[in-house]
Amino acid sequence: MSNRTFKRSVLSSTIAVALSAGVAQNVIAEEKSSADAEMEVIQVKGIRASTVKAINTKRFALSQVDGIASEDIGKLPDVTISDSLQRITGVQVERAAGESGPVQIRGMAQVDTTLNGEVFLSATTIDSSGADFGDLPSQLFSGVDVYKTSQTKRTASGITGSVDLKTRRPFDMSEGWTTNVAADVTQGSISDEADPNINGLVSYNAEKWGVLFSAVTQEATLATDYNGYFDTSENGGIGAANNNFTWGQNPQGNDVRHVVPQGFAAFNKQEKRERQGFQFAFQADLSEGFELVFEAFYTDQERFNERQGLSHNNRWYTFNDYAYPTDTGWTGDTFTDIQGNEWGAVNDFLLKPWRLQTFTQVNNNYETSTNLNLELNFNNGGPLSGQVRVTRARADASMRHGYGEGDVLSIDRGTLVTGPGQFTPAEFCGAGDTIVGDQGGCYAQFSPGGIEDDSFLLRYDASGDSPVFSGFDQLVNGGQGLMSVADYMGSLDSYHIGAFSSEGNTDDVGEINTFSTNWNYQFDDMPFITSVDFGVRFMERKVDHDQFTYTSEFGGGCDIAQWKAVDQYNTLETCKDNPAAGEYLTEDVGDLTAGTWVPYTIMQPARLDTFTTVSQMSNFGSVKGVPTMWAIDPSNFRDPRQFHLDTFGNVQRIENAGASYDVNLQEFSYFAQANFEWEMIRGNFGMKVIETDIYVKQNLVGPNLPHSGLGPDIGDVVTERSYTDYLPSLNVTADITEDVILRGAYSKNMQALDLASWGGGKTVGKAIDGSCDCLRVVNGTLTGNPALNPWRSENFSLSAEWYNGDASMMFLAFYKIDIESFTKSDTVWIDEPDDDGISRGPWPFDTQVQGKGGNVQGVEVGMKAAFSDYMDIAILNNFGVDVNYTFSDSSQDGKRVSGGEMPFVGNSEHTYNFVLWYEQEEFSTRLAWNSRSPRLMTVGSSAVGGQALFQDDYTQLDFSATYHATDYLDIYLHGSNITEEVQQTYLEFSSQKAFRNEYESRWTLGVRATF
């Protein structure tokens, strides 16, 4: 028996519509009972059939659910899962490299993700219970369900919702053999690369048993043009931005504070990705009501994330005398910080030439994940049915970082940073260098062809539609004579190597093991309660995160360095009198007298192309005024360890203790849920109890090693703690008529933090300061705090649904979420000592702290409409629309410096979707438009006056078309971001633009065959 009433009339009309429209390739009606309902499984093809299936998912659910169904085997409606999810009301997506990735539901990113109902591991989100859907091949999935309200019996809830990814099983397919294969090629408008994709499925259903195997292999080159504040992180940020009063009174005479970025940049970003994914499923009817299912899901991915372009920065020497407003640079936006200081916003800067360089950065990512599932299901038609399930998952992720700089400005003479050069061994001294060391050493020319000028000013103006760099036409002196800055940048002879490094490398291993058993008992004659669900579950989740740097030894082993740079020299304390590390002067040089022992520079004089191949660059998107330049080819850093070994003769792996940790999270949960039905009312209520134990091992960090940001491991700190959550839930559904449904829901939800939020340690940011000739603390980060509590919320939701056609419906929903416990970004002040041992702080450290008193509330409204459900007009019968809007208002305990409530990170107040589709027997097409209002990216630190970083409005238009050449063969075309939209960000005020990502359009042409 079932515990809900199934409307056969609706199902019959659904099948009839699918068949009469000519969109059903295979229709399988097979009764499958579950604790929820008896549902016929229908495999159909086409946009309308996919819409019908998604509508029925929502209609017959016992909670508030939205679904996405594939239009064919291997074909979700969009290229990525996130692209499809963004069409659902209440769902917002973030983009990286132009592709959709992490999602928010009803304004919050605290979203649980499951695979066929149980938690799983994705290699790019090892420490999280969520998933980056851009890293999962969409071709392996049959659909996605988004749960916006909780049921006690469900494994996942999240804070505002959860996502369940669904794969195919053999019994879902036709009896006998089913084969599907597709091949396509994708090209981007910036990368101009042709990327192949092949995917396929083979299934055999022998009625009593079956096997299924699906696979995909993909290549992708995702290109983006970036310009604005210098930051080379995954999707950009404000980097090490500070203000014009950092390290003392502003020398320009300004009384008003303003943000000073560490630099300004224009560069190309590319992510080259190679990915394989496999899914295997075995299913067997063991008779007597027993069914055995085994599944394996595997992904293997390599991502090469490259950055290459221009960086004009302060060389870590000064903030208060680096970038300052032009006469028209102030935007007019002002505020007063909590210390009473007046601030103003700036979007047009003059830049002093502390450093003018090109840079190249490569993050080489290697990621694999394996998820195994074994379940024994029981249903013999009697009152008791249930399941015993075991899952095991493991993911490995490694990242290797390579970085190199090419400086145009001379460090020998004439510029703001002059030596004369740095002291070098005799082998690097030229004919024009004066020998001043007792072993033939000299202050060599590092920049024989570079610019020798300290007075020219460049300009960065972001006040218009596109940013403009200017000042490169100024004439300057240097090693190649009097010529423009642009001419110097265009000559390879101008460049010398500034630095090499390989830092922030990571090795991550994650595991999840679960055991669960869930049961349902149905009552025949109880007047109100139709059945009860009950069960227990154990989950162990652990992660081992190691971060490290590749260092090299110098001075015959007396010194090590992370930053192999021209402005780093051997350490006196460990290297003095070592003939491999320095020499005694034979004559006075500046303030140094004869007889002084002087250490050698770490990085010796070298042209940019000495150790690497180089390339010329000139195109950085819409940014104007940037001249042609030379930069290191990213291919040189495909194996950073080998590069440093070849270049410096030795390499060591040194752990970064402050960023390495182990966390083990164990949850034991048990639940009971009663399902009820009385006249037109049905639903469920229940209680889940989750007992959580956490083990966190962090490292005690010693003083930083020289020439690095590395703090050695000097011991362990272990924290163990436990907490228990009682999570009630209630879902009530009222079938007002056969086609009108009202739903109400209440629940308490809990979601564990990302494990890094508990385990991460302390990292310290430092910069060169001439007053002490040392590295001074600038700021820092405390990434982990074992005392933090998980996210907790109390959720209310009410919705109305009108099913007014076989492929049509309208809905309206209201929701309110009180966030009882959450984490938020904040700043704490720590008196961290500088490299010379003197404490000059305290200094601001960004960290996560406990927040209370947040809330999210909003409205969702939308409709799906197949025009033929309402009219019989030949020209319109094949059209349909999917239109929705979400209003999501959020606030947390904090105020914006410009006034008003501080929203939660990631939430946009307004989200719009409009999809227009057309389908007939031979041809179908779809145009999909998505738009979201500004969203908070990060809360600002005190270094920038607390100003928060926002992404501005973002809109994207996608297109797809399919030609049904035969009953078995389709030819398809898909266009993503066809209008080449820009992700513009701003700091607190929309006129104070921070950076922008210019995303490419991507077009895919392919064929698909199903037999």
Side-chain angles (χ1 to χ4, degrees):
M1 292 184 63
S2 170
N3 61 8
R4 59 117 37 269
T5 301
F6 189 82
K7 295 183 173 65
R8 298 284 177 179
S9 61
V10 175
L11 177 63
S12 300
S13 61
T14 296
I15 296 174
V17 168
L19 288 171
S20 62
V23 298
Q25 188 70 28
N26 297 303
V27 177
I28 305 169
E30 183 182 68
E31 295 260 340
K32 284 187 176 289
S33 67
S34 68
D36 285 338
E38 287 183 4
M39 295 287 291
E40 278 83 349
V41 176
I42 308 169
Q43 177 131 348
V44 289
K45 288 181 65 173
I47 299 173
R48 182 187 176 101
S50 173
T51 301
V52 169
K53 195 170 182 180
I55 286 175
N56 284 338
T57 296
K58 186 178 185 72
R59 181 171 192 165
F60 299 120
L62 292 180
S63 60
Q64 294 179 27
V65 182
D66 286 286
I68 299 167
S70 63
E71 297 174 11
D72 192 5
I73 298 173
K75 185 182 185 300
L76 285 180
D78 295 273
V79 172
T80 69
I81 298 170
S82 287
D83 282 337
S84 293
L85 285 171
Q86 72 178 341
R87 317 295 178 201
I88 292 177
T89 49
V91 175
Q92 301 167 345
V93 303
E94 296 181 19
R95 299 182 186 278
E99 274 194 344
S100 299
V103 304
Q104 297 88 36
I105 296 177
R106 291 180 166 176
M108 304 298 293
Q110 286 64 43
V111 174
D112 277 339
T113 305
T114 56
L115 179 65
N116 297 321
E118 184 54 271
V119 67
F120 78 109
L121 264 180
S122 170
T124 56
T125 52
I126 282 180
D127 72 338
S128 168
S129 59
D132 186 342
F133 298 109
D135 295 325
L136 297 172
S138 63
Q139 296 85 354
L140 298 183
F141 298 94
S142 62
V144 188
D145 289 339
V146 176
Y147 292 83
K148 298 177 181 176
T149 62
S150 299
Q151 287 191 70
T152 299
K153 69 176 184 177
R154 279 190 48 78
T155 299
S157 59
I159 290 299
T160 54
S162 62
V163 176
D164 186 36
L165 303 172
K166 299 185 293 185
T167 59
R168 292 176 176 82
R169 292 178 173 177
F171 288 175
D172 298 334
M173 315 303 292
S174 300
E175 287 187 21
W177 290 96
T178 301
T179 304
N180 173 277
V181 63
D184 57 51
V185 63
T186 300
Q187 184 165 319
S189 58
I190 298 177
S191 65
D192 204 30
E193 294 282 341
D195 300 318
N197 168 48
I198 301 173
N199 65 86
L201 175 146
V202 177
S203 173
Y204 181 71
N205 181 355
E207 190 177 1
K208 286 293 186 179
W209 64 273
V211 292
L212 180 150
F213 178 76
S214 59
V216 58
T217 178
Q218 298 174 320
E219 293 182 13
T221 306
L222 308 172
T224 305
D225 290 320
Y226 176 100
N227 47 73
Y229 292 2
F230 182 47
D231 187 291
T232 61
S233 57
E234 184 73 17
N235 211 31
I238 61 173
N242 235 286
N243 66 80
N244 58 328
F245 279 75
T246 302
W247 299 334
Q249 185 70 25
N250 174 253
Q252 298 295 325
N254 293 329
D255 294 324
V256 177
R257 282 168 164 76
H258 63 79
V259 170
V260 178
Q262 194 263 329
F264 298 85
F267 55 84
N268 301 136
K269 300 195 291 185
Q270 278 199 356
E271 178 166 294
K272 298 179 179 179
R273 183 176 65 207
E274 300 173 4
R275 177 167 61 195
Q276 291 79 43
F278 308 96
Q279 183 227 347
F280 172 80
F282 171 79
Q283 201 168 5
D285 182 350
L286 303 180
S287 72
E288 303 297 330
F290 288 96
E291 178 193 61
L292 181 68
V293 178
F294 171 75
E295 293 171 302
F297 189 90
Y298 174 81
T299 61
D300 185 344
Q301 180 170 264
E302 295 183 358
R303 296 183 297 119
F304 306 104
N305 201 304
E306 303 171 354
R307 309 282 190 269
Q308 184 185 29
L310 166 72
S311 169
H312 185 289
N313 60 71
N314 67 358
R315 203 184 180 93
W316 298 109
Y317 267 74
T318 179
F319 281 95
N320 57 9
D321 197 27
Y322 162 55
Y324 51 91
T326 64
D327 292 338
T328 58
W330 299 95
T331 69
D333 301 297
T334 62
F335 69 94
T336 302
D337 66 20
I338 58 176
Q339 282 84 32
N341 301 308
E342 185 180 355
W343 287 73
V346 178
N347 62 10
D348 188 1
F349 292 89
L350 291 173
L351 313 176
K352 284 194 171 184
W354 286 94
R355 175 175 275 166
L356 179 62
Q357 65 180 188
T358 61
F359 76 96
T360 300
Q361 173 183 295
V362 179
N363 290 339
N364 305 282
N365 299 274
Y366 307 92
E367 299 148 346
T368 63
S369 66
T370 303
N371 289 269
L372 304 176
N373 172 59
L374 180 66
E375 59 187 69
L376 181 65
N377 301 310
F378 172 73
N379 188 345
N380 66 354
L384 182 67
S385 60
Q387 177 190 79
V388 178
R389 185 174 188 179
V390 178
T391 69
R392 178 171 175 80
R394 177 185 169 99
D396 296 84
S398 298
M399 191 278 287
R400 301 294 183 264
H401 170 89
Y403 182 82
E405 297 173 342
D407 287 354
V408 181
L409 297 176
S410 172
I411 61 170
D412 302 329
R413 53 188 173 272
T415 60
L416 289 172
V417 181
T418 56
Q422 298 286 356
F423 195 60
T424 60
E427 61 184 293
F428 297 101
C429 298
D433 296 322
T434 302
I435 305 304
V436 294
D438 63 348
Q439 300 177 58
C442 67
Y443 285 89
Q445 292 188 58
F446 275 69
S447 316
I451 295 173
E452 301 168 10
D453 195 317
D454 66 355
S455 60
F456 71 95
L457 295 176
L458 298 182
R459 182 175 178 180
Y460 175 80
D461 181 3
S463 60
D465 291 336
S466 298
V468 178
F469 283 90
S470 59
F472 295 101
D473 56 347
Q474 296 173 81
L475 296 179
V476 292
N477 284 307
Q480 299 176 67
L482 184 66
M483 53 187 196
S484 70
V485 176
D487 287 339
Y488 267 98
M489 294 180 66
S491 170
L492 182 57
D493 294 334
S494 304
Y495 294 81
H496 69 274
I497 293 171
F500 290 124
S501 70
S502 177
E503 56 197 80
N505 303 300
T506 57
D507 282 331
D508 288 316
V509 178
E511 290 185 17
I512 298 181
N513 302 300
T514 74
F515 169 83
S516 61
T517 180
N518 305 312
W519 297 86
N520 173 265
Y521 188 86
Q522 300 192 37
F523 302 104
D524 286 330
D525 51 8
M526 188 169 289
F528 181 68
I529 303 298
T530 59
S531 69
V532 292
D533 291 286
F534 53 94
V536 297
R537 176 176 179 266
F538 173 78
M539 181 194 73
E540 178 186 50
R541 183 180 200 117
K542 52 188 177 182
V543 64
D544 181 351
H545 174 80
D546 293 326
Q547 188 184 104
F548 62 93
T549 288
Y550 287 133
T551 66
S552 294
E553 293 182 351
F554 295 89
C558 68
D559 206 358
I560 64 169
Q562 165 184 333
W563 302 315
K564 297 91 171 181
V566 296
D567 53 9
Q568 301 287 312
Y569 43 87
N570 286 313
T571 305
L572 281 170
E573 290 80 0
T574 58
C575 293
K576 187 175 181 181
D577 295 329
N578 184 333
E583 303 178 26
Y584 286 92
L585 294 180
T586 57
E587 58 184 79
D588 297 344
V589 178
D591 295 334
L592 301 175
T593 59
T596 303
W597 189 85
V598 179
Y600 296 141
T601 182
I602 293 291
M603 188 72 208
Q604 307 299 339
R607 282 171 51 100
L608 185 63
D609 56 355
T610 303
F611 304 107
T612 63
T613 56
V614 297
S615 57
Q616 202 170 41
M617 307 181 65
S618 59
N619 187 359
F620 300 95
S622 68
V623 62
K624 298 178 177 62
V626 180
T628 298
M629 64 192 73
W630 290 87
I632 297 169
D633 285 327
S635 60
N636 290 279
F637 300 139
R638 274 289 177 265
D639 186 344
R641 183 186 185 281
Q642 190 63 46
F643 173 81
H644 284 260
L645 178 62
D646 294 341
T647 304
F648 303 106
N650 68 92
V651 65
Q652 298 83 36
R653 171 174 169 152
I654 303 295
E655 299 297 319
N656 185 359
S660 299
Y661 56 86
D662 295 337
V663 179
N664 188 310
L665 172 73
Q666 294 184 354
E667 289 183 351
F668 177 70
S669 60
Y670 41 96
F671 73 90
Q673 175 178 300
N675 306 296
F676 60 85
E677 188 168 348
W678 180 70
E679 295 185 351
M680 68 177 186
I681 305 296
R682 53 192 168 89
N684 53 73
F685 60 89
M687 173 70 76
K688 178 187 291 183
V689 180
I690 303 179
E691 299 175 358
T692 304
D693 296 313
I694 305 173
Y695 168 91
V696 180
K697 187 181 80 172
Q698 298 170 293
N699 299 315
L700 292 171
V701 181
N704 277 12
L705 300 177
H707 322 295
S708 77
L710 293 171
D713 182 358
I714 59 173
D716 295 331
V717 176
V718 173
T719 303
E720 297 184 66
R721 56 186 295 240
S722 301
Y723 54 83
T724 300
D725 286 274
Y726 299 89
L727 306 175
S729 72
L730 169 67
N731 288 274
V732 179
T733 299
D735 297 310
I736 304 300
T737 70
E738 185 175 347
D739 298 323
V740 176
I741 299 174
L742 296 181
R743 302 182 195 270
Y746 165 80
S747 66
K748 285 196 170 186
N749 293 0
M750 182 274 289
Q751 185 176 28
L753 306 180
D754 292 350
L755 302 189
S757 297
W758 281 313
K762 178 173 67 175
T763 56
V764 182
K766 297 185 178 182
I768 297 171
D769 185 359
S771 65
C772 67
D773 197 23
C774 68
L775 286 170
R776 282 187 56 178
V777 176
V778 180
N779 49 36
T781 303
L782 299 173
T783 55
N785 180 355
L788 291 173
N789 291 321
W791 285 68
R792 296 186 173 105
S793 66
E794 189 172 25
N795 297 31
F796 306 85
S797 184
L798 180 67
S799 69
E801 303 157 9
W802 178 26
Y803 297 88
N804 51 3
D806 294 312
S808 304
M809 69 162 298
M810 300 178 182
F811 61 90
L812 174 67
F814 302 89
Y815 60 89
K816 185 176 187 297
I817 299 109
D818 292 327
I819 311 296
E820 299 175 352
S821 171
F822 63 95
T823 61
K824 65 175 185 175
S825 298
D826 205 347
T827 301
V828 295
W829 293 82
I830 298 176
D831 194 8
E832 187 76 15
D834 297 326
D835 265 20
D836 60 0
I838 299 175
S839 295
R840 299 177 174 89
W843 302 105
F845 278 66
D846 295 332
T847 189
Q848 293 287 307
V849 299
Q850 204 75 58
K852 295 182 179 180
N855 66 80
V856 185
Q857 54 194 358
V859 179
E860 300 169 350
V861 59
M863 65 175 291
K864 297 178 186 288
F867 290 178
S868 60
D869 285 345
Y870 305 101
M871 63 190 73
D872 187 11
I873 302 175
I875 195 172
L876 296 178
N877 279 348
N878 300 110
F879 281 94
V881 295
D882 185 349
V883 184
N884 60 64
Y885 163 74
T886 303
F887 171 76
S888 180
D889 182 35
S890 70
S891 64
Q892 53 177 299
D893 61 339
K895 301 289 185 180
R896 294 180 56 179
V897 298
S898 57
E901 300 287 339
M902 181 68 75
F904 277 101
V905 171
N907 180 48
S908 290
E909 194 169 58
H910 306 283
T911 308
Y912 310 85
N913 280 292
F914 178 80
V915 178
L916 174 67
W917 56 266
Y918 172 86
E919 183 173 60
Q920 45 97 348
E921 289 188 9
E922 294 84 14
F923 179 75
S924 63
T925 187
R926 190 177 69 119
L927 195 66
W929 175 81
N930 173 266
S931 180
R932 61 183 299 183
S933 61
R935 69 178 177 94
L936 174 64
M937 298 179 70
T938 59
V939 177
S941 69
S942 59
V944 294
Q947 297 179 82
L949 179 67
F950 289 84
Q951 175 189 298
D952 211 341
D953 295 315
Y954 184 85
T955 298
Q956 182 161 312
L957 186 65
D958 302 324
F959 168 83
S960 63
T962 301
Y963 172 62
H964 310 291
T966 72
D967 288 342
Y968 307 103
L969 182 67
D970 291 341
I971 301 171
Y972 56 89
L973 175 68
H974 185 91
S976 178
N977 188 30
I978 61 178
T979 53
E980 299 185 341
E981 295 298 326
V982 172
Q983 181 204 52
Q984 178 68 62
T985 68
Y986 59 86
L987 201 58
E988 194 65 40
F989 306 98
S990 60
S991 59
Q992 188 172 228
K993 299 174 184 177
F995 65 87
R996 52 192 265 142
N997 286 298
E998 299 178 5
Y999 297 137
E1000 65 180 350
S1001 62
R1002 294 181 62 77
W1003 290 91
T1004 300
L1005 178 64
V1007 295
R1008 177 182 294 104
T1010 303
F1011 305 97

